[in-house]
Every structure is written in C-alpha cells, then in structure tokens.
Amino acid sequence: MSTNTSDESLFTPLLRFISDSPIFANLALVFIINQVCSMLKLDDVQNSLYIFIAFGLVQIAMFAVLGYIYLLIEKVNDQTVLTYTDLKIPGDSSSAEVVKKTVAEHDHGNLITALGTQAFSLGLMIFLNYKFGYLRPLLMQCVLGPRQFIQTQLVKVYILKEPATGALARPWRQSSPLTTTPLPSAKELKNKEKREQKKKLK
C-alpha cells in the first residue's frame, strides 16, 4: 500500500505539469495518436477515403464556426474603445506603439488571424498529402485541430460564452518566443514621446 501511495505522489506532479502545459499536452496527445494509428493501422491506404472525409468535415466545421463568430461580432458590434500597446515588428520592443481600437475592430482582427491560421494549416496538410502521400498528419489534425481551436479566445468568448475577464480580457495577444520582455504601457509610451520632444526642443 505504501509503495502505491509513493508512486502516485511521484507521478501526480508530472501529470499535473503535462495537463497544465499545452506543449507537453500536445506532445502526449501526438504520441497517443501515433500509437493508436500504428496498432490499428488507421492510416492504411485502404482507409484513405475515410480519413479524407473526416479531415474535410473537421475543416468545414471549424470554418463554419469562424463564420458564425463573424456574424456574432457584427451583431454585438461592441464600440467600446481599447487603448493598449502593440509591436509593429514582432520581437522588437522598440517598435511598440499605442493602439486604439474598438472591441469589434479588435475581434475582427483576431478573426482574420484565425482564418489565416486555419487556411495555412489546411494548405500544409493538403501539400503533405499531395507531395508525399502522408495520411497520418491528416488523421492527427482531426484531433489536434479542434482541440487547439476550442482553446482560442474567440471560441471561448463567443461560442462557449466565457466572460472576457482575467486571461480572456482584451487585448488578446498570442504568446511568442520572440517576445521575452513585457510591453510598455500606453502611459509609458506617451511619457517617452514627451521626453523625446523635449530633447528635440533643446
């Protein structure tokens, strides 16, 4: 009994870390899907038609949801003004600027980004299958695609009806390995501009 308890206490932090980390959770999911595909031979050529149908239906469903979100953004048409800082050049903190957008404009921008991401993913999967005949990436995308899609802010706020507070508070910024330092606030940028103007006057 004591051995089982000690084993559980050792593995619990590891499992919690994997579940709380999207990267490790995705890696674990990829490993599981790979094992299932290998054991059941799901990506065999004879199953290609079923894989194509499943992949196509998943893509259509996600694009349909994005279309529905567009209608919801238009319907709500929130004109609340957001003032925040953003980077003109990703990864370059010196390119930070003050941005003023309404919530509707902000969400439209995020929707366009989401559409671009979906289109790129779709194009990449089609290329891999056409050029190399790979079926497993299509099968993986049927699971990983919806999982990542559901975790986006747009889906959480507009479809799952989660309040846009805390981690979902606007502005929504995508985490990037290029951005290692926090962005200056709008007030800090204005003070910086004033200091630069004073230096020019001198």
Side-chain angles (χ1 to χ4, degrees):
M1 291 295 290
S2 59
T3 305
N4 292 337
T5 304
S6 61
D7 289 342
E8 288 178 3
S9 62
L10 288 173
F11 282 109
T12 299
L14 178 61
L15 292 174
R16 187 175 299 164
F17 173 74
I18 291 174
S19 63
D20 291 341
S21 172
I23 296 176
F24 283 98
N26 285 336
L27 287 175
L29 195 55
V30 167
F31 176 77
I32 293 170
I33 295 172
N34 261 318
Q35 295 303 310
V36 172
C37 287
S38 298
M39 287 189 295
L40 302 180
K41 297 181 180 180
L42 293 178
D43 57 347
D44 195 276
V45 178
Q46 63 184 4
N47 295 326
S48 59
L49 178 61
Y50 302 109
I51 294 174
F52 291 147
I53 292 173
F55 177 75
L57 290 175
V58 168
Q59 295 300 313
I60 290 171
M62 288 193 288
F63 276 109
V65 170
L66 289 176
Y68 180 61
I69 289 174
Y70 170 78
L71 295 177
L72 291 176
I73 294 173
E74 288 291 306
K75 181 180 179 181
V76 175
N77 194 26
D78 191 340
Q79 294 301 304
T80 304
V81 177
L82 301 172
T83 303
Y84 57 96
T85 57
D86 204 356
L87 299 179
K88 284 185 178 180
I89 305 172
D92 184 5
S93 58
S94 63
S95 67
E97 62 176 353
V98 178
V99 177
K100 287 187 177 182
K101 288 183 178 180
T102 64
V103 170
E105 291 171 339
H106 170 273
D107 292 0
H108 270 301
N110 277 267
L111 181 62
I112 292 171
T113 301
L115 284 168
T117 301
Q118 285 301 118
F120 175 79
S121 175
L122 177 60
L124 180 61
M125 293 300 105
I126 292 174
F127 171 78
L128 290 175
N129 180 260
Y130 176 77
K131 191 73 175 177
F132 306 105
Y134 294 155
L135 289 173
R136 191 164 295 193
L138 300 181
L139 197 57
M140 286 189 176
Q141 197 63 19
C142 290
V143 179
L144 295 177
R147 182 181 182 277
Q148 294 170 348
F149 185 69
I150 292 172
Q151 292 174 342
T152 61
Q153 295 100 329
L154 284 170
V155 172
K156 286 184 176 180
V157 170
Y158 282 98
I159 304 299
L160 303 180
K161 304 299 181 183
E162 294 185 19
T165 56
L168 292 177
R170 298 175 178 89
W172 298 330
R173 293 191 177 95
Q174 301 298 323
S175 58
S176 171
L178 297 175
T179 307
T180 56
T181 56
L183 294 178
S185 64
K187 185 177 180 181
E188 288 172 337
L189 281 180
K190 287 180 180 178
N191 291 335
K192 182 181 177 181
E193 289 175 0
K194 288 179 181 178
R195 288 195 298 269
E196 290 177 351
Q197 288 175 356
K198 287 180 180 178
K199 286 181 182 179
K200 288 179 181 179
L201 292 174
K202 290 180 180 179

